[in-house]
Structures are given as structure tokens and as C-alpha cells.
């Protein structure tokens, strides 16, 4: 559990050392909650899911502090579609409405990341990889057997997503500070 949680935990430490301020602290807190989710999910899917839910809510609040001033119409519609598709995908893959409810927060996080000032090729792509990783996890519970993909891809897509998010946010915040 400690080894699994340390991967994103070290990203939180990296973000804490490379950024300053209350807003940055929210981002570090979101990463720390994800690391907690990584540990707790080994004990209980519900406890781990609750930590990830909290992480997504904190991330949404963080990204809202850095909204793109005038997003294009295509970006607005794309993010609305993303927000709707993520919980729908969660439900289709899992067959569980509580997972779809969690998917609303997951979709909200991805939507907020795409509407933020942070680089889409890093932070936006990282959020999409996070969504994909969760969809792979949820496919284990529902009617669609995607084996062996979840066993092969959950951890790499999740960690790569978190790495892209963390480095994209940190580098952008450091640029804002100068």
C-alpha cells in the first residue's frame, strides 16, 4: 500500500516544493488525496473511492481559480460533452449508479482541467488518461469484460495522467510567479 501510494504522494511533494501559495496548496491537497485513495482502495473500494471523489472536488475548485478567460465555442461544447460522457461511460462499464455518481465528479474534474489556463496537451490529456484508467477499473464490475486491458493499463495510464497533470500545473504556476 505504501509503495503504491508513494508514486502520487511524491508528485504531491514535488508540487509542494515547486509552488507557493494557498491556491497551489489546493492542488497539492488534491494530489495528496489521490495518494490516500491509492492506499485506501487496497482496503476498501468505497474508502478509496471517497478519497478520489474528494480529490476530484478539490481539483475542480483549484482549476476554477485558473479559468481560461474566453474559451472557444468548440471547447465549451467539448467539455460539456466530456462532463456528460464520463458518468455515462462509468455507468455503462460498471452497471452501478453509485459509480456513475462518482463519474460526475470525475467528469467535472476533467471538464475543469480542459477549461483551465493549464496546457491541454499535459493537464487536459492527463485528466483524460485518469478517466480512461478509471473506466478500465469500472469495466471489471460490469457486463463488459475488457480483460486483460485493465490488468495491463490501469496503473500506467493513471500514473502517466497524474504525472502530466502535476508537471503541467507546476510548470505553469512557476511561470505565473515570475
Amino acid at each position: 500500500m505504501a509503495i503504491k501510494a508513494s508514486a502520487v504522494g511524491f508528485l504531491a511533494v514535488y508540487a509542494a516544493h515547486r509552488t507557493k501559495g494557498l491556491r497551489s496548496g489546493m492542488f497539492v491537497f488534491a494530489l495528496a488525496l489521490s495518494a490516500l485513495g491509492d492506499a485506501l482502495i487496497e482496503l476498501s473500494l468505497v474508502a478509496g473511492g471517497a478519497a478520489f471523489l474528494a480529490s476530484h472536488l478539490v481539483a475542480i475548485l483549484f482549476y476554477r481559480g485558473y479559468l481560461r478567460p474566453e474559451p472557444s465555442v468548440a471547447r465549451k461544447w467539448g467539455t460539456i460533452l466530456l462532463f456528460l460522457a464520463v458518468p455515462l461511460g462509468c455507468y455503462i462499464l460498471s452497471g452501478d449508479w453509485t459509480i456513475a455518481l462518482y463519474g460526475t465528479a470525475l467528469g467535472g474534474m476533467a471538464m475543469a482541467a480542459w477549461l483551465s489556463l493549464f496546457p491541454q496537451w499535459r493537464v487536459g490529456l492527463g485528466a483524460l488518461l485518469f478517466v480512461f484508467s478509471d473506466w478500465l477499473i469500472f469495466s471489471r464490475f460490469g457486463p463488459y469484460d475488457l480483460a486483460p486491458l485493465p490488468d495491463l493499463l490501469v496503473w500506467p495510464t493513471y500514473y502517466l495522467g497524474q504525472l502530466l497533470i502535476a508537471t503541467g500545473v507546476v510548470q505553469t504556476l512557476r511561470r505565473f510567479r515570475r
Side-chain angles (χ1 to χ4, degrees), residues 37 40-52 96 98-99 102 137-138 141:
L40 291 178
I41 209 160
E42 294 300 316
L43 301 173
S44 161
L45 183 65
V46 173
F52 279 112
D96 186 334
T98 58
I99 290 176
Y102 164 85
I137 291 170
F138 302 148
F141 309 124

Side-chain angles (χ1 to χ4, degrees), residues 51-69:
F52 279 112
L53 175 70
S55 172
H56 297 322
L57 295 176
V58 171
I60 290 167
L61 292 173
F62 170 74
Y63 290 132
R64 287 190 49 81
Y66 293 96
L67 285 178
R68 193 171 290 274

Side-chain angles (χ1 to χ4, degrees), residues 45-159:
L45 183 65
V46 173
F52 279 112
L53 175 70
S55 172
H56 297 322
L57 295 176
V58 171
I60 290 167
L61 292 173
F62 170 74
Y63 290 132
R64 287 190 49 81
Y66 293 96
L67 285 178
R68 193 171 290 274
E70 293 186 31
S72 68
V73 172
R75 183 179 305 274
K76 286 179 188 176
W77 280 104
T79 56
I80 290 169
L81 180 63
L82 178 65
F83 178 69
L84 297 173
V86 171
L88 181 62
C90 290
Y91 182 75
I92 289 169
L93 289 168
S94 71
D96 186 334
W97 69 269
T98 58
I99 290 176
L101 188 58
Y102 164 85
T104 304
L106 178 63
M109 178 277 298
M111 177 183 184
W114 275 92
L115 287 173
S116 74
L117 289 170
F118 299 104
Q120 269 58 71
W121 68 273
R122 290 177 98 172
V123 178
L125 177 60
L128 293 179
L129 286 169
F130 198 130
V131 168
F132 182 71
S133 172
D134 275 3
W135 277 355
L136 288 172
I137 291 170
F138 302 148
S139 74
R140 292 175 173 158
F141 309 124
Y144 301 102
D145 183 9
L146 300 179
L149 291 179
D151 293 333
L152 298 172
L153 296 177
V154 166
W155 184 250
T157 56
Y158 165 72
Y159 184 73

Side-chain angles (χ1 to χ4, degrees), residues 18-34:
R18 303 285 293 169
T19 61
K20 298 206 183 319
L22 182 59
R23 279 186 173 175
S24 300
M26 286 179 64
F27 179 68
V28 171
F29 186 49
L31 286 172
L33 286 168
S34 286

